[in-house]
Amino acid sequence: MRKKMIRAIFPGSFDPITNGHLDVIGRSIKLFDELIVAVGRSPIKNPLFTPQERVEMIAELTADIPGVLVESFDGLTVEYAAKKKADVILRGLRSLTDVAYEFQLAMTNRAVAGIETVFVMTSEQYGFTTSTMIREVASLGGDVSNLIPKAIYKKLQQRLKSVSDNP
Ligand code: ADP
């Protein structure tokens, strides 16, 4: 009998995508047939890139990984998951500190929509990488080049420069 095709969504803000996110995408695509990286369009604190820019950056970086699609979405993650007929929600885990929040989120999503969440642990070297930290450190001149892809680093520097030139 043919195995059922498994489709997962990986929701997040990805502002910007980091090596940690890419690590989770690379690991999890072995578990699923299709993975939709879903960029939330809901406003976040001090965004640096528009949702459309984030989608384009992720699409470029994942273009050669079969089965990975990138989209943006509005509103509730579980509603978007249902619309896409996703079987599971994928979330990345960095450390034990992530677990309490992720546990609550996964339980809530299961209670309201009956959808399961699958967790994939990142590589040790990205266990402390968050997009928020990347934005903050980079805006103060810190070197984050080994935590994000080269192309993203360039775009981040350009964006930070244009923000500081046009406050
Ligand atoms: P953040 O701003 O914390 O990077 P996102 O909303 O972009 O958050 O995260 C989307 C998903 O990716 C979440 O499941 C988050 O736990 C996961 N994630 C974020 N950074 C990493 C990382 N360095 N390693 C593994 N998973 C990560």
Side-chain angles (χ1 to χ4, degrees):
M1 197 174 66
R2 199 184 171 281
K3 186 179 109 222
K4 182 184 175 296
M5 189 191 112
I6 309 282
R7 176 181 294 141
I9 62 160
F10 184 31
S13 38
F14 305 102
D15 186 41
I17 186 157
T18 68
N19 287 346
H21 293 129
L22 284 171
D23 183 74
V24 167
I25 293 170
R27 286 171 196 286
S28 59
I29 194 60
K30 297 175 200 147
L31 309 173
F32 311 122
D33 301 284
E34 204 174 281
L35 176 65
I36 306 176
V37 182
V39 176
R41 284 199 297 266
S42 55
I44 55 166
K45 241 177 42 185
N46 303 324
L48 210 48
F49 297 102
T50 66
Q52 186 54 34
E53 287 172 327
R54 291 178 235 160
V55 166
E56 283 164 16
M57 289 189 278
I58 303 168
E60 241 175 76
L61 287 163
T62 56
D64 58 353
I65 313 177
V68 175
L69 302 170
V70 191
E71 289 187 358
S72 65
F73 75 103
D74 248 338
L76 273 183
T77 303
V78 291
E79 277 174 13
Y80 172 75
K83 195 172 109 196
K84 302 313 285 187
K85 298 194 166 38
D87 303 284
V88 292
I89 294 174
L90 166 71
R91 297 286 289 175
L93 285 182
R94 286 167 284 218
S95 62
L96 276 182
T97 19
D98 277 348
V99 174
Y101 170 73
E102 291 294 340
F103 186 87
Q104 243 182 351
L105 189 63
M107 289 298 221
T108 307
N109 286 339
R110 195 165 67 187
V112 301
I115 190 162
E116 297 294 340
T117 301
V118 170
F119 296 101
V120 167
M121 287 176 64
T122 190
S123 299
E124 298 82 342
Q125 78 253 44
Y126 303 129
F128 59 92
T129 306
T130 74
S131 299
T132 310
M133 203 72 87
I134 297 275
R135 291 197 304 274
E136 283 178 10
V137 172
S139 70
L140 296 169
D143 183 357
V144 292
S145 57
N146 57 348
L147 302 175
I148 53 177
K150 258 202 186 87
I152 304 295
Y153 185 61
K154 260 196 192 149
K155 290 198 165 86
L156 181 63
Q157 287 190 311
Q158 285 165 358
R159 180 56 48 93
L160 288 169
K161 187 173 181 313
S162 76
V163 170
S164 74
D165 289 349
N166 310 287

